[in-house]
Amino acid sequence: QVQLVESGGGLVQAGGSLRLSCAASGSIFSINAMGWYRQAPGKQRELVAAITSGGSTNYADSVKGRFTISRDNAKNTVYLQMNSLKPEDTAVYYCNAVAERNNYWGQGTQVTVSS
């Protein structure tokens, strides 16, 4: 089992920045990859960014050049640095971990970008 706790969401004006954090605990040795997903009202949950245990990263086209995913292995924490935020980035952001073919999710953190 893997437990994920997110933090760092909030309200920001367009063009601003936020950093999300996701702290993992439990069977962290089994984690293959971690990532961030988001879900806006009335829309499906979508991948924002992911990072593998080897450090490879993947981003949605809509956030490339603006968002950066990183990890601190010593703290078992993954970060999502979000710059140049747009109103369309408004959503609930969920941390995800893939471990032994199981998906684990955090509780979600709200990000609201005002125009």
Side-chain angles (χ1 to χ4, degrees):
Q1 292 288 326
V2 174
Q3 294 79 44
L4 304 171
V5 178
E6 301 127 334
S7 61
L11 173 64
V12 65
Q13 289 187 333
S17 299
L18 283 174
R19 189 177 80 155
L20 305 182
S21 300
C22 174
S25 61
S27 300
I28 57 174
F29 60 90
S30 64
I31 294 176
N32 304 117
M34 294 185 69
W36 290 94
Y37 286 71
R38 67 187 181 187
Q39 188 167 19
K43 294 187 177 181
Q44 290 188 333
R45 191 173 296 189
E46 62 176 0
L47 174 68
V48 176
I51 185 167
T52 68
S53 56
S56 298
T57 58
N58 182 41
Y59 295 93
D61 287 343
S62 59
V63 307
K64 283 181 180 177
R66 300 188 298 121
F67 292 11
T68 303
I69 189 169
S70 62
R71 63 192 297 167
D72 183 334
N73 291 330
K75 295 182 179 180
N76 301 319
T77 299
V78 170
Y79 304 97
L80 184 68
Q81 178 66 43
M82 305 184 294
N83 298 328
S84 302
L85 282 161
K86 304 175 181 180
E88 51 263 44
D89 294 318
T90 296
V92 178
Y93 284 69
Y94 296 91
C95 182
N96 168 266
V98 179
E100 297 179 335
R101 300 184 181 181
N102 294 317
N103 270 291
Y104 298 91
W105 296 93
Q107 79 283 2
T109 185
Q110 177 70 45
V111 171
T112 302
V113 184
S114 63
S115 57

